[in-house]
Structures are given as C-alpha cells and as structure tokens.
Amino acid sequence: RSRGRKAARMSYDVAITDGPVRAIFDLKGPQAALADWAGDTLPGFPDAPNRRVREDGKTLAHIGPDHWLLIADLTREEALTDALKPADAPPEISIVRVSDVYAWVRITGPDAAHVTATGCPLDLETFPEDGASFTEFFTQKALITRGGHGFEVAIDRSYAPWIAEMLARITP
C-alpha cells in the first residue's frame, strides 16, 4: 500500500513570452543559385548546417540540405518579397513566404535550457549560440534557436495554445 505522497513541484527561474510575428521565407535550392538570384538581399550563408547568420536585421538559418529560412522583422516582409520575387524565381530554387505559419515562444533565464529540454530531444547544453534546428517540441515540429539568455521556439501557429499549456504545466 502506498502512502500517497504528493510529488514536489519544481520551480524554474525562467520567463516565457510570446515572440513577435516575423517575416519568414522558406528558401530551397543550391546555395549558389539562391545567392545569384537574391544578390545582397540575403545575409551571408552560414558556414555549417544547423547554424544561422544575422546581418542587417535579417537572419539566415541553414536548416537542411539546400534548405534555409530567411527571418526578419515583419515590417520588412513586403520589401523582401519585392526583392526576392518568389513568383519569378528560376526553377532550380523555391522561395515561399511562410510568415503566417509560425508562432514564436521565448524561453529565457538561468533555467531556460532545462525548461526547453523538457519538450525537446536536442542536447541543449551543447547547442551553439548560433544554432538553428528543426526538431520536436512537445511532439510537434519546431524550429529551435538559441540566443541572448535562452531559446526561441517557432511552432505551427495552430499548436501555440497547446504549447503554452504544456509550458504552463511545468512552470506554474
């Protein structure tokens, strides 16, 4: 017979906030072809997979073979669309605006890695400062980036309330 002890709740030193909606473009194709087409619209390409480069208020994340995400402030979305000309792109590349697909959550503070790790299988202790990788977050596909004093997680907007509930359960 068990004695019915209550489990102790952990307390974490984190802040969880919604991130802003951002301009996001999904870029696919050979790096050289994308660079030729986009010219100086893109920041420099990251020199390794699962890394990102930030320049002039734009982030370029290498998230897979011949696959990048361009992320910028939402106020730049129309100018980037005009510069990238997705509808006119050559057949060897694909440029798709996906800004409205993602919701962002920021997890910051001394315990940010621990809280983020509860929903993510990546080894976040070794995840680099310029890291960017698709993974799972509470069983949903998510983009994880590290920066500042924590992590940002981009998830399908339709799952944002559920992700918020999962985070609230572990950080009451």
Side-chain angles (χ1 to χ4, degrees):
R1 187 172 172 184
S2 71
R3 293 203 124 152
R5 283 193 270 169
K6 279 189 167 185
R9 289 189 72 91
M10 300 275 308
S11 176
Y12 298 106
D13 187 3
V14 295
I16 298 173
T17 57
D18 292 335
V21 176
R22 298 183 181 135
I24 307 172
F25 294 83
D26 187 277
L27 311 172
K28 293 180 182 167
Q31 180 176 327
L34 284 165
D36 286 347
W37 178 256
D40 62 2
T41 302
L42 298 178
F45 283 82
D47 56 7
N50 299 319
R51 297 289 197 275
R52 62 193 164 126
V53 169
R54 291 184 242 185
E55 292 175 7
D56 188 32
K58 298 177 278 190
T59 298
L60 189 62
H62 187 186
I63 57 170
D66 292 337
H67 194 182
W68 293 265
L69 287 180
L70 174 63
I71 305 165
D73 188 90
L74 189 60
T75 60
R76 300 178 82 173
E77 185 178 60
E78 288 308 317
L80 287 169
T81 300
D82 291 344
L84 293 170
K85 303 180 284 292
D88 299 327
E92 66 266 25
I93 65 173
S94 168
I95 301 173
V96 179
R97 187 169 65 181
V98 294
S99 309
D100 59 343
V101 172
Y102 296 101
W104 293 82
V105 176
R106 289 182 176 148
I107 304 168
T108 57
D111 295 328
H114 188 78
V115 169
T116 305
T118 61
C120 172
L122 292 177
D123 178 1
L124 298 176
E125 294 299 325
T126 62
F127 196 69
E129 188 70 26
D130 65 343
S133 182
F134 270 106
T135 184
E136 289 185 354
F137 193 63
F138 293 106
T139 72
Q140 301 306 311
K141 180 180 176 182
L143 176 70
I144 304 276
T145 64
R146 182 178 212 150
H149 301 291
F151 298 85
E152 286 193 303
V153 182
I155 43 105
D156 184 301
R157 185 169 303 286
S158 65
Y159 291 108
W162 187 75
I163 296 296
E165 172 64 24
M166 293 297 100
L167 289 167
R169 287 182 183 191
I170 60 172
T171 60

